[in-house]
Amino acid sequence: MSKDKVDIFDTTLRDGEQVPGCKLDTAQKLVIAERLNHLGVDIIEAGFPISSPGDFKSVNEIAKLVKDVTVCGLTRAVKKDISVAAEALKPAKHPRIHTGIGTSDSHILHKFNSDKDKIIERATAAVSYAKTFVEDVEFFAEDAGRTDNEFLARVCEAVIKAGATVLNIPDTTGYCLPEEYGAKIKYLKENVTGIHKATLSCHCHNDLGLATANSIAGVSNGARQIECTINGIGERAGNTSLEEVVMILRQHPTLGLDTNINSKLLFDTSKMVSQKMGMIVQPNKAIVGANAFAHSSGIHQDGVIKNRETYEIIDPAEVGVNESSIVLTARSGRAALAYRAKLVGYELTKLQLDEVYQEFLKFADQKKEVLDADIHAIVEGSDITIEIVS
Ligand code: KIV
Ligand code: ZN
């Protein structure tokens, strides 16, 4: 079955970099941008050019460096923001301006002290102005997750008429349920005149841990771009995690969707971003966490040693992890001990294993994890003669 392509819009360097304490300098951003290019993302959101001279420079340098992918700069629906972004993006082979405005009642009332008609006027004026600089203009309807669908459809229709090529439907506050977010995308697909002229994009935040699920619901209902970050970093609880959505689409071919991402670079890219930003990846993080392919309970270890697929749905090599790991703890069984002992050079008979295992358990009860050096100490300390394997 041929698959529909979902564009990956990486915003690690913009929404991701908004994390307190994770600020990057231009040189670091260039290294990450180059890696994102190799990884196969379609769009790099390089920054918010008007926000600071440093961000302007980063967007400008990335626009000079990266030629295979679209380079995007964020703006508010403000003329000066847009002209500054256009200037920063001038060297880009494929420039995109990402402009927009809040559309929920809360934003219209409290942030802008405005009304719906005036918001539509500002939205269309921003898109029309951006079109005087670049062909590719993405419009974001901030807080679309809490915007009523009828008004959202009106906004979308108006900005498509003004020339928007991509419509970003952000769940800015991470509020939506997957069914709700999916239904929103479906509603826009079915009710916005001219929707075929634009790509619908999912931009989901993770305040309720639903960013990935919401993005998948979005593309299942017709969106064809996902905005995401490496390791899911971003404002508050973060953005949709790039590695998660990419691997979900790959693991579920029946969705009929795929991306251009070279998944074998995912683990290394995750480590690179984590190191450069000084932000650790939680060990149990899906796909790229240190424990994502580690097995520590006896029942699971026995299964994985017999056949990896008993407890793993992804071959670790597919995401650039060398192999599954069998971690020795007090919950491990004989199969795991025999397996790890063999890896460090000891071929144990059944009787020998029984004896060494009792020593192992005493040791493991005192330690969180039994390491290779400990296996040597346990085996050598026992009074059995053991064949050394080469
Ligand atoms: O979350 C959001 O609404 C955003 C927009 C600026 C696109 O990041
Ligand atoms: Zn965001």
Side-chain angles (χ1 to χ4, degrees), residues 17-23 236 279:
E17 206 231 9
Q18 289 176 209
V19 177
C22 288
K23 177 131 187 38
R236 308 182 309 281
M279 184 147 175

Side-chain angles (χ1 to χ4, degrees), residues 9 11 14-15 18 45 48 74-75 98-101 107 111 138-144 168-174 203-205 227 235-236 239:
F9 176 113
T11 184
R14 199 278 297 170
D15 222 335
Q18 289 176 209
E45 187 163 51
F48 184 5
L74 184 77
T75 83
H98 188 192
T99 189
I101 194 162
H107 279 228
K111 208 166 128 180
E138 173 167 341
F139 174 80
F140 68 83
E142 196 179 12
D143 205 13
N168 178 8
I169 310 301
D171 185 20
T172 305
T173 58
H203 178 115
C204 299
H205 280 268
E227 311 201 358
E235 283 273 349
R236 308 182 309 281
N239 286 66

Side-chain angles (χ1 to χ4, degrees), residues 23-42:
K23 177 131 187 38
L24 300 169
D25 61 27
T26 300
Q28 291 169 318
K29 285 191 180 182
L30 284 169
V31 175
I32 293 179
E34 214 162 21
R35 165 51 69 103
L36 294 172
N37 185 16
H38 284 140
L39 183 65
V41 308
D42 299 280

Side-chain angles (χ1 to χ4, degrees), residues 265-278:
L265 295 178
L266 286 173
F267 185 65
D268 260 13
T269 308
S270 158
K271 268 201 304 195
M272 174 205 256
V273 169
S274 160
Q275 279 161 6
K276 294 224 178 298
M277 289 196 162

Side-chain angles (χ1 to χ4, degrees), residues 143-208:
D143 205 13
R146 295 187 298 171
T147 301
D148 79 78
N149 289 348
E150 234 174 86
F151 178 60
L152 191 57
R154 270 181 66 204
V155 176
C156 289
E157 210 163 295
V159 296
I160 290 174
K161 274 200 195 119
T165 46
V166 181
L167 300 178
N168 178 8
I169 310 301
D171 185 20
T172 305
T173 58
Y175 172 75
C176 287
L177 294 170
E179 294 78 8
E180 198 181 354
Y181 189 76
K184 193 174 279 290
I185 298 293
K186 188 165 188 276
Y187 181 88
L188 297 174
K189 268 287 219 213
E190 289 172 355
N191 292 283
V192 172
T193 308
I195 195 70
H196 60 281
K197 295 187 201 153
T199 303
L200 279 164
S201 179
C202 311
H203 178 115
C204 299
H205 280 268
N206 206 31
D207 300 66
L208 291 172

Side-chain angles (χ1 to χ4, degrees), residues 2 8 53 128 156 188 209 215 245 262 288-289 311 344 364 368 370 372:
S2 87
I8 292 293
S128 303
C156 289
L188 297 174
S215 297
V245 288
N262 175 359
V288 292
Y311 287 98
V344 297
K368 284 192 197 314
V370 177
D372 285 353

